[in-house]
C-alpha cells in the first residue's frame, strides 16, 4: 500500500509517498493501529496526528527489525504529530 501526507481536505502535501508491504507492520494486541491497517488492506485508512504518533510508538516498540524497515513511516508520523503547524496534516494509507 502507499502512504502519503494529506491536508484536511484530502489533498496530498507533496508528490512524495512511501510504499509499505502488506504484513510489514507489527501485529497483535500491543499493536492495535498497525493490526487494523493491515487487516483493512483493501481500504484507505486515514490517521490523524494523535493516531500517527501511536502508530510510530507501536513500530518502535515492536523492535529493530520493524524500525529498520519502517523508519521513514515513523519519521513522517512523528513530524505531523510533533508540531502545531502540522495539526491539520494526516497520514493516508491507500489500499490496493
Amino acid at each position: 500500500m502507499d502512504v502519503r501526507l494529506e491536508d484536511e481536505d484530502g489533498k496530498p502535501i507533496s508528490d512524495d509517498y512511501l510504499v509499505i508491504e502488506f504484513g510489514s507492520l507489527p501485529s497483535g494486541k500491543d499493536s492495535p493501529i498497525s493490526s487494523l491497517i493491515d487487516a483493512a488492506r483493501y481500504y484507505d485508512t486515514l490517521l490523524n496526528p494523535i493516531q500517527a504518533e501511536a502508530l510510530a510508538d507501536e513500530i518502535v516498540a515492536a523492535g529493530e527489525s520493524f524500525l529498520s524497515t519502517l523508519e521513514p513511516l515513523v519519521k513522517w508520523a512523528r513530524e505531523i504529530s510533533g508540531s502545531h503547524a502540522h495539526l491539520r496534516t494526516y497520514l493516508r494509507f491507500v489500499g490496493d
Side-chain angles (χ1 to χ4, degrees):
M1 65 192 127
D2 294 340
V3 183
R4 64 181 185 213
L5 296 174
E6 292 185 350
D7 68 13
E8 64 185 316
D9 296 320
K11 295 178 185 164
I13 300 293
S14 72
D15 291 333
D16 296 336
Y17 64 93
L18 302 172
V19 177
I20 306 297
E21 296 294 326
F22 293 119
S24 65
L25 294 172
S27 61
K29 68 177 185 157
D30 293 333
S31 302
I33 294 175
S34 299
S35 296
L36 288 173
I37 292 168
D38 220 26
R41 64 180 62 178
Y42 301 109
Y43 300 95
D44 291 356
T45 302
L46 184 69
L47 298 183
N48 65 41
I50 294 168
Q51 294 165 324
E53 180 70 22
L55 173 67
D57 290 344
E58 289 177 11
I59 293 168
V60 170
E64 183 60 37
S65 63
F66 287 98
L67 186 57
S68 64
T69 304
L70 300 170
E71 188 170 3
L73 178 58
V74 170
K75 181 180 175 193
W76 276 10
R78 299 255 194 247
E79 282 176 12
I80 70 166
S81 64
S83 169
H84 292 293
H86 294 98
L87 285 178
R88 297 183 191 262
T89 304
Y90 302 84
L91 273 180
R92 180 175 298 273
F93 290 77
V94 181
D96 283 340

